[in-house]
Each structure stands twice: as structure tokens, then as C-alpha cells.
Short mmCIF file of all heavy atoms in Angstrom, two decimals:
data_model
loop_
_atom_site.label_atom_id
_atom_site.label_comp_id
_atom_site.label_asym_id
_atom_site.label_seq_id
_atom_site.Cartn_x
_atom_site.Cartn_y
_atom_site.Cartn_z
N ASP U 1 0.83 -1.22 0.00
CA ASP U 1 0.00 0.00 0.00
C ASP U 1 0.85 1.26 0.00
O ASP U 1 0.57 2.22 -0.74
CB ASP U 1 -0.94 0.00 1.21
CG ASP U 1 -1.99 -1.09 1.12
OD1 ASP U 1 -2.29 -1.53 0.00
OD2 ASP U 1 -2.50 -1.52 2.18
N PHE U 2 1.89 1.27 0.81
CA PHE U 2 2.77 2.44 0.89
C PHE U 2 3.46 2.69 -0.45
O PHE U 2 3.54 3.84 -0.93
CB PHE U 2 3.81 2.26 1.99
CG PHE U 2 4.79 3.40 2.08
CD1 PHE U 2 4.44 4.57 2.73
CD2 PHE U 2 6.06 3.30 1.51
CE1 PHE U 2 5.34 5.64 2.81
CE2 PHE U 2 6.96 4.35 1.58
CZ PHE U 2 6.60 5.52 2.24
N ASP U 3 3.98 1.62 -1.08
CA ASP U 3 4.66 1.78 -2.37
C ASP U 3 3.72 2.35 -3.43
O ASP U 3 4.12 3.20 -4.24
CB ASP U 3 5.22 0.44 -2.83
CG ASP U 3 6.43 0.00 -2.01
OD1 ASP U 3 6.97 0.83 -1.25
OD2 ASP U 3 6.83 -1.18 -2.12
N ARG U 4 2.47 1.89 -3.42
CA ARG U 4 1.51 2.41 -4.39
C ARG U 4 1.21 3.89 -4.15
O ARG U 4 1.12 4.67 -5.10
CB ARG U 4 0.23 1.58 -4.32
CG ARG U 4 0.37 0.20 -4.95
CD ARG U 4 -0.86 -0.67 -4.70
NE ARG U 4 -0.77 -1.94 -5.41
CZ ARG U 4 -1.58 -2.98 -5.20
NH1 ARG U 4 -2.55 -2.88 -4.28
NH2 ARG U 4 -1.44 -4.09 -5.89
N GLU U 5 1.08 4.26 -2.90
CA GLU U 5 0.79 5.66 -2.57
C GLU U 5 1.93 6.58 -2.96
O GLU U 5 1.71 7.70 -3.42
CB GLU U 5 0.51 5.78 -1.06
CG GLU U 5 -0.80 5.14 -0.61
CD GLU U 5 -0.92 5.11 0.90
OE1 GLU U 5 -0.02 5.66 1.57
OE2 GLU U 5 -1.89 4.52 1.41
N ARG U 6 3.17 6.10 -2.79
CA ARG U 6 4.35 6.94 -3.06
C ARG U 6 4.86 6.81 -4.49
O ARG U 6 5.83 7.49 -4.86
CB ARG U 6 5.47 6.56 -2.09
CG ARG U 6 5.13 6.73 -0.61
CD ARG U 6 5.17 8.16 -0.17
NE ARG U 6 6.50 8.74 -0.25
CZ ARG U 6 6.86 9.87 0.33
NH1 ARG U 6 5.98 10.55 1.03
NH2 ARG U 6 8.08 10.35 0.20
N GLY U 7 4.24 5.94 -5.27
CA GLY U 7 4.69 5.75 -6.65
C GLY U 7 6.00 5.00 -6.74
O GLY U 7 6.75 5.16 -7.72
N LEU U 8 6.30 4.16 -5.76
CA LEU U 8 7.51 3.35 -5.78
C LEU U 8 7.23 2.03 -6.50
O LEU U 8 6.11 1.53 -6.51
CB LEU U 8 7.99 3.08 -4.35
CG LEU U 8 8.39 4.31 -3.55
CD1 LEU U 8 8.68 3.95 -2.11
CD2 LEU U 8 9.61 5.01 -4.18
N PHE U 9 8.27 1.47 -7.07
CA PHE U 9 8.12 0.28 -7.89
C PHE U 9 8.54 -0.98 -7.13
O PHE U 9 9.63 -1.04 -6.56
CB PHE U 9 8.97 0.39 -9.16
CG PHE U 9 8.49 1.43 -10.13
CD1 PHE U 9 8.78 2.77 -9.94
CD2 PHE U 9 7.73 1.07 -11.24
CE1 PHE U 9 8.34 3.73 -10.84
CE2 PHE U 9 7.28 2.02 -12.14
CZ PHE U 9 7.58 3.35 -11.94
N SER U 10 7.67 -1.96 -7.14
CA SER U 10 8.00 -3.29 -6.65
C SER U 10 7.07 -4.25 -7.36
O SER U 10 6.00 -3.84 -7.86
CB SER U 10 7.84 -3.41 -5.13
OG SER U 10 6.46 -3.42 -4.77
N ILE U 11 7.42 -5.49 -7.42
CA ILE U 11 6.55 -6.47 -8.08
C ILE U 11 5.21 -6.60 -7.35
O ILE U 11 4.15 -6.57 -7.99
CB ILE U 11 7.27 -7.82 -8.24
CG1 ILE U 11 8.32 -7.69 -9.35
CG2 ILE U 11 6.28 -8.95 -8.56
CD1 ILE U 11 9.15 -8.92 -9.58
N PRO U 12 5.19 -6.70 -6.00
CA PRO U 12 3.88 -6.78 -5.33
C PRO U 12 3.00 -5.56 -5.57
O PRO U 12 1.78 -5.70 -5.73
CB PRO U 12 4.27 -6.90 -3.85
CG PRO U 12 5.60 -7.55 -3.87
CD PRO U 12 6.29 -6.96 -5.06
N SER U 13 3.59 -4.36 -5.60
CA SER U 13 2.76 -3.17 -5.80
C SER U 13 2.25 -3.06 -7.23
O SER U 13 1.26 -2.38 -7.49
CB SER U 13 3.55 -1.91 -5.43
OG SER U 13 4.60 -1.67 -6.36
N ARG U 14 2.94 -3.71 -8.17
CA ARG U 14 2.54 -3.64 -9.57
C ARG U 14 1.55 -4.72 -9.96
O ARG U 14 0.61 -4.48 -10.72
CB ARG U 14 3.78 -3.74 -10.48
CG ARG U 14 4.63 -2.48 -10.45
CD ARG U 14 3.85 -1.31 -11.05
NE ARG U 14 4.51 -0.03 -10.73
CZ ARG U 14 4.04 1.14 -11.08
NH1 ARG U 14 2.90 1.22 -11.73
NH2 ARG U 14 4.67 2.24 -10.77
N VAL U 15 1.75 -5.95 -9.49
CA VAL U 15 0.90 -7.06 -9.94
C VAL U 15 -0.01 -7.60 -8.84
O VAL U 15 -0.84 -8.47 -9.10
CB VAL U 15 1.76 -8.21 -10.51
CG1 VAL U 15 2.64 -7.70 -11.64
CG2 VAL U 15 2.61 -8.88 -9.43
N GLY U 16 0.17 -7.10 -7.61
CA GLY U 16 -0.64 -7.58 -6.50
C GLY U 16 0.07 -8.68 -5.73
O GLY U 16 0.92 -9.39 -6.28
N PRO U 17 -0.27 -8.84 -4.45
CA PRO U 17 0.42 -9.81 -3.60
C PRO U 17 0.34 -11.26 -4.10
O PRO U 17 1.34 -11.99 -4.04
CB PRO U 17 -0.30 -9.65 -2.25
CG PRO U 17 -0.82 -8.26 -2.27
CD PRO U 17 -1.21 -8.00 -3.69
N GLN U 18 -0.83 -11.69 -4.57
CA GLN U 18 -0.97 -13.10 -4.97
C GLN U 18 -0.09 -13.43 -6.18
O GLN U 18 0.63 -14.44 -6.18
CB GLN U 18 -2.44 -13.41 -5.28
CG GLN U 18 -2.72 -14.92 -5.41
CD GLN U 18 -2.38 -15.67 -4.15
OE1 GLN U 18 -2.89 -15.40 -3.07
NE2 GLN U 18 -1.47 -16.63 -4.26
N ARG U 19 -0.11 -12.58 -7.19
CA ARG U 19 0.74 -12.82 -8.35
C ARG U 19 2.22 -12.67 -7.99
O ARG U 19 3.08 -13.38 -8.54
CB ARG U 19 0.37 -11.86 -9.47
CG ARG U 19 -0.98 -12.17 -10.13
CD ARG U 19 -1.28 -11.18 -11.24
NE ARG U 19 -2.57 -11.47 -11.89
CZ ARG U 19 -3.12 -10.73 -12.83
NH1 ARG U 19 -2.49 -9.61 -13.24
NH2 ARG U 19 -4.28 -11.05 -13.36
N ALA U 20 2.51 -11.76 -7.09
CA ALA U 20 3.89 -11.58 -6.64
C ALA U 20 4.41 -12.84 -5.97
O ALA U 20 5.58 -13.24 -6.17
CB ALA U 20 3.99 -10.40 -5.69
N LEU U 21 3.57 -13.49 -5.17
CA LEU U 21 3.97 -14.75 -4.54
C LEU U 21 4.27 -15.82 -5.58
O LEU U 21 5.21 -16.60 -5.43
CB LEU U 21 2.87 -15.23 -3.60
CG LEU U 21 2.85 -14.60 -2.20
CD1 LEU U 21 1.60 -15.04 -1.44
CD2 LEU U 21 4.10 -15.00 -1.43
N THR U 22 3.48 -15.85 -6.64
CA THR U 22 3.72 -16.81 -7.72
C THR U 22 5.07 -16.54 -8.38
O THR U 22 5.84 -17.47 -8.67
CB THR U 22 2.60 -16.73 -8.77
OG1 THR U 22 1.36 -17.03 -8.15
CG2 THR U 22 2.85 -17.71 -9.90
N ILE U 23 5.37 -15.26 -8.62
CA ILE U 23 6.65 -14.90 -9.23
C ILE U 23 7.80 -15.27 -8.30
O ILE U 23 8.84 -15.79 -8.74
CB ILE U 23 6.68 -13.40 -9.56
CG1 ILE U 23 5.66 -13.09 -10.66
CG2 ILE U 23 8.09 -12.95 -9.99
CD1 ILE U 23 5.47 -11.61 -10.93
N ALA U 24 7.64 -15.04 -7.00
CA ALA U 24 8.68 -15.41 -6.03
C ALA U 24 8.92 -16.92 -6.05
O ALA U 24 10.07 -17.38 -5.97
CB ALA U 24 8.27 -14.96 -4.63
N ARG U 25 7.85 -17.69 -6.16
CA ARG U 25 8.00 -19.15 -6.23
C ARG U 25 8.76 -19.56 -7.50
O ARG U 25 9.61 -20.45 -7.47
CB ARG U 25 6.63 -19.81 -6.19
CG ARG U 25 5.94 -19.69 -4.84
CD ARG U 25 4.54 -20.26 -4.87
NE ARG U 25 3.86 -20.02 -3.60
CZ ARG U 25 2.63 -19.53 -3.49
NH1 ARG U 25 1.93 -19.24 -4.59
NH2 ARG U 25 2.08 -19.34 -2.31
N LEU U 26 8.45 -18.89 -8.61
CA LEU U 26 9.16 -19.18 -9.86
C LEU U 26 10.64 -18.82 -9.74
O LEU U 26 11.51 -19.55 -10.24
CB LEU U 26 8.52 -18.42 -11.02
CG LEU U 26 7.11 -18.90 -11.43
CD1 LEU U 26 6.53 -17.98 -12.49
CD2 LEU U 26 7.16 -20.34 -11.94
N PHE U 27 10.93 -17.70 -9.09
CA PHE U 27 12.33 -17.32 -8.88
C PHE U 27 13.05 -18.36 -8.03
O PHE U 27 14.21 -18.71 -8.30
CB PHE U 27 12.41 -15.95 -8.20
CG PHE U 27 12.21 -14.78 -9.14
CD1 PHE U 27 12.10 -13.48 -8.63
CD2 PHE U 27 12.14 -14.96 -10.51
CE1 PHE U 27 11.91 -12.41 -9.48
CE2 PHE U 27 11.96 -13.88 -11.37
CZ PHE U 27 11.85 -12.60 -10.85
N HIS U 28 12.38 -18.86 -7.02
CA HIS U 28 13.03 -19.85 -6.16
C HIS U 28 13.14 -21.21 -6.84
O HIS U 28 14.07 -21.98 -6.56
CB HIS U 28 12.29 -19.94 -4.83
CG HIS U 28 12.63 -18.81 -3.91
ND1 HIS U 28 11.84 -18.41 -2.85
CD2 HIS U 28 13.70 -17.95 -3.91
CE1 HIS U 28 12.41 -17.39 -2.24
NE2 HIS U 28 13.52 -17.08 -2.87
N LEU U 29 12.23 -21.50 -7.75
CA LEU U 29 12.39 -22.69 -8.58
C LEU U 29 13.62 -22.53 -9.48
O LEU U 29 14.41 -23.48 -9.65
CB LEU U 29 11.14 -22.92 -9.43
CG LEU U 29 11.18 -24.10 -10.41
CD1 LEU U 29 11.41 -25.41 -9.67
CD2 LEU U 29 9.90 -24.16 -11.25
N ALA U 30 13.79 -21.34 -10.03
CA ALA U 30 14.98 -21.06 -10.84
C ALA U 30 16.25 -21.19 -10.01
O ALA U 30 17.29 -21.66 -10.50
CB ALA U 30 14.88 -19.65 -11.45
N THR U 31 16.17 -20.79 -8.74
CA THR U 31 17.31 -20.95 -7.83
C THR U 31 17.73 -22.41 -7.75
O THR U 31 18.93 -22.74 -7.86
CB THR U 31 16.93 -20.45 -6.42
OG1 THR U 31 16.60 -19.07 -6.48
CG2 THR U 31 18.09 -20.65 -5.44
N LEU U 32 16.77 -23.28 -7.54
CA LEU U 32 17.07 -24.71 -7.42
C LEU U 32 17.64 -25.27 -8.72
O LEU U 32 18.59 -26.06 -8.70
CB LEU U 32 15.82 -25.47 -7.01
CG LEU U 32 15.28 -25.12 -5.62
CD1 LEU U 32 13.94 -25.80 -5.38
CD2 LEU U 32 16.27 -25.51 -4.54
N LEU U 33 17.10 -24.85 -9.86
CA LEU U 33 17.62 -25.31 -11.14
C LEU U 33 19.07 -24.85 -11.34
O LEU U 33 19.90 -25.60 -11.86
CB LEU U 33 16.74 -24.79 -12.28
CG LEU U 33 15.32 -25.37 -12.34
CD1 LEU U 33 14.51 -24.68 -13.45
CD2 LEU U 33 15.34 -26.88 -12.55
N CYS U 34 19.36 -23.65 -10.90
CA CYS U 34 20.74 -23.13 -11.00
C CYS U 34 21.68 -23.89 -10.07
O CYS U 34 22.83 -24.17 -10.43
CB CYS U 34 20.77 -21.64 -10.68
SG CYS U 34 20.00 -20.58 -11.92
#
């Protein structure tokens, strides 16, 4: 909420918490593959 109010950029503030969690899971899957 704060990032949206201040115009700051983050994945959760741009796509919403639920989609952000999905992206985080994909990043961590990429971690394991690496």
C-alpha cells in the first residue's frame, strides 16, 4: 500500500500480492535449477 501511494516500484505493488507470490515461487524454482 505504501509503495503504491508513493509511486515506488515493486513487483507486489505492480501485480498484486498473490501474483507476486507466484513470481517469487518461480524465482526460487529457478534458484534450485541453477
Side-chain angles (χ1 to χ4, degrees):
D1 293 336
F2 177 80
D3 288 347
R4 286 172 175 168
E5 291 171 4
R6 300 283 296 194
L8 297 173
F9 291 80
S10 73
I11 286 178
S13 69
R14 287 295 166 182
V15 303
Q18 192 60 58
R19 289 180 179 176
L21 278 173
T22 300
I23 294 172
R25 290 176 186 132
L26 291 174
F27 281 172
H28 282 160
L29 177 60
T31 299
L32 295 173
L33 293 175
C34 290

